[in-house]
Structure formats: structure tokens, C-alpha cells
Amino acid sequence: MTALAQKAPVTTPEITTSEDTTHGPDLDEALWQAWKAMELPEGFHAEIIEGFINVSPTGRFAHGQIANRLRRAIDKHLDEGAYAAYQDMNVVHEHKVWFPDCFVAPEDSEGHVTNDGIGMEASAVQLIIEVVSPGHDGVEGDREHKCRAYARAGIPVYVLIDDHDGRGTVSVLSVPRPDEAAYADTHRVSYGIDVIIPDGPAKGFTIGEAITGPPRTA
């Protein structure tokens, strides 16, 4: 996921860690202003996750291939409904910002876009899917940091497609508990076994080999 991770360039009386991400509004605001002021080269994007600004490169071919398969398939599943699948767009929650591989939100975005037009409000997002990026930072970020961040924001369903877990796994996390930064229900299967989205507008959508491809070589 990450090519660079940095704390906000400010002095604050409380330093956060991955386990304790409670911090004051000054740090949140500093991170937010620093993020908005960043000028990244083409092919990079930045997110604010658990007290850090994370800068990531555009995904590799295999990563993008799965993400694009997902978006197309979910759009077909949602066809003629009130929701759509999105990519290449920020999701914003209380001065936190994420750049998911795919997410589901209302087709009619009026009233759900941030006032400054930076992205979609997290309150409108019903499902987020991340394809785990290679490397220690990428794996840890998608499996742990983003999982906690999405649960805190009350994202109803989080799906993790993980090429780097054995021969590949898909995890569907639902029933967020924001106060605990965790999901109460987790269903995890290996590549080659279908898994179904349990709730929300994408309920019944199946993730299988047509999206993930076959099990990876161990």
C-alpha cells in the first residue's frame, strides 16, 4: 500500500500509535491541511489513516485487474438500482481520507459529496473492497489499519481480497462496532470458494474465481 508514511509536521502533546489512535483535533486538522497541500507526482495518491499520511503508488497490473473486475461485476449486480460502484475517488470521514480500490455508494451523489468536492462522505458508503497491496506496509495497512479505520467510521461491510495470504483469501467483515474499531462478524474463505456479500445494496453479490482468479502458487 505505502511508499511513504509520515506524521503530521506539528508538535502535539499526544503521539498516536496503531493501538491507540485517540488524538486531539489539532493533529487531525494538521494532517488534513498537510494532505490538502500535497502535490504528488502522477501515479501516486495519499490517504490519512490512523494518524499518518500514507502515500501510495498506482497498483500493479494484477491488483488493478482484480479491482476493475470487481467494479464491473458489482455495477451489473446493482444495475437499475439506487447504488453504484466507484473507483479512483476519495472517501472522507472527519478529516480522515481513504482511496479504496472499490466502494458502493448512492448513484445520485447529490448531498453525499463533501462541501469542498474532495470526495464522497463516508456516511454514504455501504461497502468498501480493498485488494491487498504487496510489501509489509501494504499488507499491514489493508489488513489492520484500514480495517480499524473503516470500522470506526461505521462502514457496514469491508471486503479484503488478499493475494498474500497463503494461496489467496477473501474476507468479508460486517457488523461494525465503531467504539471498538472492529467488526463483529468475519467470514474468510480461500480463493476458489465463493463468498457472498451478506448485507446492504450489494447483498447477494458473489466473489469467486471470476474476480480473484485461481488460487495462487504457494
Side-chain angles (χ1 to χ4, degrees):
M1 178 189 70
T2 64
L4 170 69
Q6 63 181 42
K7 282 283 188 181
V10 296
T11 301
T12 174
E14 185 174 6
I15 301 300
T16 67
T17 67
S18 295
E19 291 73 30
D20 178 10
T21 56
T22 302
H23 47 75
D26 289 346
L27 178 57
D28 283 341
E29 180 64 24
L31 285 166
W32 181 249
Q33 295 302 327
W35 177 85
K36 290 200 296 183
M38 294 180 76
E39 296 184 6
L40 297 174
E42 185 176 353
F44 288 81
H45 63 268
E47 302 172 284
I48 302 175
I49 305 169
E50 295 202 321
F52 286 84
I53 295 176
N54 296 303
V55 179
S56 306
T58 301
R60 298 180 181 182
F61 175 80
H63 182 284
Q65 184 181 48
I66 292 175
N68 278 290
R69 286 173 182 164
L70 271 167
R71 183 189 56 77
R72 292 194 301 269
I74 293 176
D75 260 341
K76 289 180 181 178
H77 182 81
L78 299 171
D79 192 32
E80 299 183 2
Y83 290 83
Y86 293 84
Q87 281 181 317
D88 298 325
M89 189 181 300
N90 296 313
V91 174
V92 180
H93 175 69
E94 296 178 353
H95 287 182
K96 314 294 189 300
V97 60
W98 317 306
F99 196 81
D101 290 314
C102 184
F103 67 92
V104 171
E107 173 76 42
D108 183 358
S109 61
E110 185 176 355
H112 302 298
V113 177
T114 59
N115 291 335
D116 51 15
I118 283 176
M120 185 82 73
E121 294 281 3
S123 57
V125 176
Q126 301 301 305
L127 165 70
I128 285 180
I129 303 176
E130 296 283 8
V131 182
V132 177
S133 299
H136 176 268
D137 288 345
V139 169
E140 183 179 59
D142 290 331
R143 291 180 185 169
E144 299 180 22
H145 302 303
K146 284 189 175 182
C147 183
R148 291 193 293 262
Y150 295 156
R152 284 191 192 94
I155 301 297
V157 181
Y158 175 39
V159 175
L160 198 61
I161 297 178
D162 194 343
D163 262 9
H164 311 286
D165 183 8
R167 300 186 67 195
T169 62
V170 179
S171 299
V172 178
L173 298 88
S174 58
V175 192
R177 292 178 173 170
D179 292 344
E180 300 175 17
Y183 285 90
D185 187 58
T186 301
H187 184 56
R188 180 171 170 269
V189 303
S190 300
Y191 282 10
I193 300 174
D194 289 350
V195 63
I196 298 173
I197 302 300
D199 298 302
K203 182 177 181 179
F205 177 72
T206 300
I207 299 174
E209 280 197 40
I211 290 172
T212 66
R216 303 302 187 250
T217 301

